Amino acid sequence: MVQIVISSARAGGLAEWVLMELQGEIEARYSTGLAGNLLGDLHYTTEGIPVLIVGHHILYGKIIHLEKPFAVLVKHTPGDQDCDELRHETGTRYLVTALIKDKILFKIRPKPIITNVPKKV
Amino acid sequence: MKRTREEVDATLLIAKLNAAELMPTVHCLSFGPGASGAAAGDFCLLELEPTLCQQLEDGHRLVIRGDKDEQAVLCSKDKTYDLKIADTSNMLLFIPGCKTPDQLKKEEAHCNIIHTEIFGFSNNYWELRRCRPKLKKLKKLLMENPYEGPDSQREKDSHCSKLRPCYWRILEFDYEMKLLNHVTQLVDSESWSFRKVPLNTCLQELGPLEPEEMIEHCLKCYGKKYVDEGEVYFELDADKICRATAHMLLQNAVKFNLAEFQEVWQQSVPEGMITSLDQLKGLALVDRHSRPEIIFLLKVDDLPEDNQGRFNSLFSLREKWTEEDIAPYIEDLCGEKQTIGALLTKYSHSSMQNGVKVYNSRRPIS
């Protein structure tokens, strides 16, 4: 019987993050991978509508408060010092690192930006 | 290298967005170092019910359990859920430190740029579904531990399997019960109130399993139709469903330990419905004189239709009856001129037993 514990990463309140839902897949342009790369700029209109500029695309979305929140679980494989309060060696655990109660959903087909205007810097 | 305000503004210009229509704060999003870790299983998203979310916030833990060949389940301190992976065709990014427009409006200082690192992204998440008692597994357990009578060692062995009716006969469920099961499981998994079951969603979800007319027929048999804001809903009849569930449970056993039956029965009905022995009049009989107390199926429909035949069969089942117990089994015999009292006077003999009036046969039953 496998038993995996899910518990809070630390005592005290859990951080709240935001989920962003985009259509399609994310691929790195270069083989060096995604880490450190920019995704884009996220703006909000004065009415609160999220606008995401990704590469040559503008995406308009909406903020949704989730009926079913998410927990972000980070896998933690045991080291030598990992024992639970009963002094049993713990196996793999998942730590709840944050909760997500809101999401920014971009469902609308991206509008490409026509870039024949030289930038004014 | 972090983006500058100048670069952000230049992008807005190219994008032909009017800065005056936007809030002053921009989030410049980039990918953190471990962002692609979902594939490696480094992290994942777990969808929660609000109560579970509260439990985690209060510091309680959850546990995932499962044998290799079994569906994994997630256990909180008082509930169990089936754990499934839900795929989405979309990309889900989880972003720390990202503020919503409402949060930004509440803030006094309007900082210009928030450099935000995306912690990770995934195209699937763990989904939870409430577990219903698995009837097939229940039957398997029961087959392994047959009831052998009150003096059996097994009776005294407290570590034995919980449920011990006399013996199981595996029967096929009636088609109507199968349909009802589909409906009640859907109600539970969608966490609907049983008083507001949407017809269209039922047909959509169950359509692949059973003909739509049959699904709707089942809803009509076990509920009341109504319309709210243009949508058709059914209010399910708790008494009917509890009774049908009891019937399903009892029909596969000769008799059932009463206490254990009541526990399984309550767990088997949809959330929010309360079981009560009153719902079983004319369907099942409780024997409070046996040790342990038992309950068994006794359907008035299965009994003889003629008066004398009816009373004969009832008295061969049980020598003495209280009026409360026998009434549901002779009600249908009452005509225009005959009340229950009149029938009892004609076909039985009454006496007092422990201060209660009981009825028995007028003549010896052969």
Side-chain angles (χ1 to χ4, degrees), chain B residues 147-216:
Chain B
Y147 180 69
E148 284 164 24
D151 296 326
S152 157
Q153 267 305 309
R154 284 214 175 103
E155 180 78 7
K156 295 167 189 166
D157 182 355
S158 61
H159 291 298
C160 229
S161 159
K162 276 195 93 180
L163 299 144
R164 281 176 258 115
C166 264
Y167 67 90
W168 278 99
R169 290 170 315 198
I170 305 293
L171 296 174
E172 282 188 9
F173 281 124
D174 287 343
Y175 184 57
E176 196 173 270
M177 293 303 112
K178 189 176 173 199
L179 288 168
L180 183 62
N181 256 334
H182 282 317
V183 169
T184 53
Q185 282 184 18
L186 184 63
V187 169
D188 261 357
S189 70
E190 296 288 318
S191 299
W192 290 330
S193 157
F194 67 82
R195 294 191 180 85
K196 199 168 184 178
V197 178
L199 172 64
N200 280 332
T201 317
C202 278
L203 295 178
Q204 222 178 326
E205 296 293 317
L206 301 175
L209 303 169
E210 300 294 341
E212 284 190 2
E213 322 83 73
M214 295 285 95
I215 298 164
E216 190 161 350

Side-chain angles (χ1 to χ4, degrees), chain A:
Chain A
M1 161 84 78
V2 173
Q3 191 159 290
I4 301 175
V5 174
I6 300 173
S7 58
S8 265
R10 60 185 158 275
L14 282 167
E16 275 187 36
W17 295 358
V18 165
L19 195 72
M20 184 180 292
E21 189 169 337
L22 296 173
Q23 279 196 340
E25 287 181 12
I26 295 178
E27 276 176 9
R29 193 184 295 164
Y30 306 112
S31 55
T32 43
L34 288 170
N37 286 4
L38 288 168
L39 172 65
D41 297 337
L42 175 67
H43 297 268
Y44 298 113
T45 66
T46 46
E47 318 266 287
I49 295 175
V51 183
L52 182 69
I53 307 178
V54 184
H56 295 287
H57 301 289
I58 309 178
L59 304 174
Y60 290 86
K62 61 181 187 173
I63 308 270
I64 297 176
H65 186 73
L66 295 169
E67 260 179 40
K68 291 189 180 180
F70 283 99
V72 180
L73 305 182
V74 177
K75 194 163 161 185
H76 180 74
T77 38
D80 290 327
Q81 62 275 49
D82 279 314
C83 285
D84 66 12
E85 56 274 12
L86 295 172
R87 293 178 162 269
H88 295 144
E89 210 182 86
T90 51
T92 302
R93 293 188 291 147
Y94 281 94
L95 300 175
V96 181
T97 306
L99 292 175
I100 297 177
K101 298 186 181 175
D102 296 298
K103 84 169 171 188
I104 306 175
L105 173 64
F106 291 99
K107 247 171 48 170
I108 300 175
R109 281 175 69 84
K111 265 176 33 171
I113 303 174
I114 318 271
T115 59
N116 54 5
V117 177
K119 49 179 187 187
K120 263 172 19 177
V121 178

Side-chain angles (χ1 to χ4, degrees), chain B residues 97-145:
Chain B
C98 178
K99 297 197 193 290
T100 62
D102 287 341
Q103 286 164 342
L104 286 173
K105 280 179 187 157
K106 285 186 191 149
E107 282 174 7
E108 289 289 317
H110 291 281
C111 66
N112 230 276
I113 298 187
I114 303 179
H115 294 283
T116 318
E117 226 177 53
I118 297 165
F119 178 88
F121 61 87
S122 172
N123 65 356
N124 60 49
Y125 58 90
W126 291 357
E127 190 182 55
L128 299 175
R129 291 192 181 191
R130 283 294 308 281
C131 279
R132 296 280 310 282
K134 307 275 192 296
L135 289 176
K136 280 201 182 118
K137 195 168 178 188
L138 212 64
K139 274 197 215 174
K140 185 165 176 283
L141 285 172
L142 289 162
M143 300 269 353
E144 289 167 12
N145 291 285

Side-chain angles (χ1 to χ4, degrees), chain B residues 32-51:
Chain B
S36 324
D42 292 343
F43 50 75
C44 62
L45 285 178
L46 172 66
E47 194 187 43
L48 301 168
E49 283 179 354
T51 42

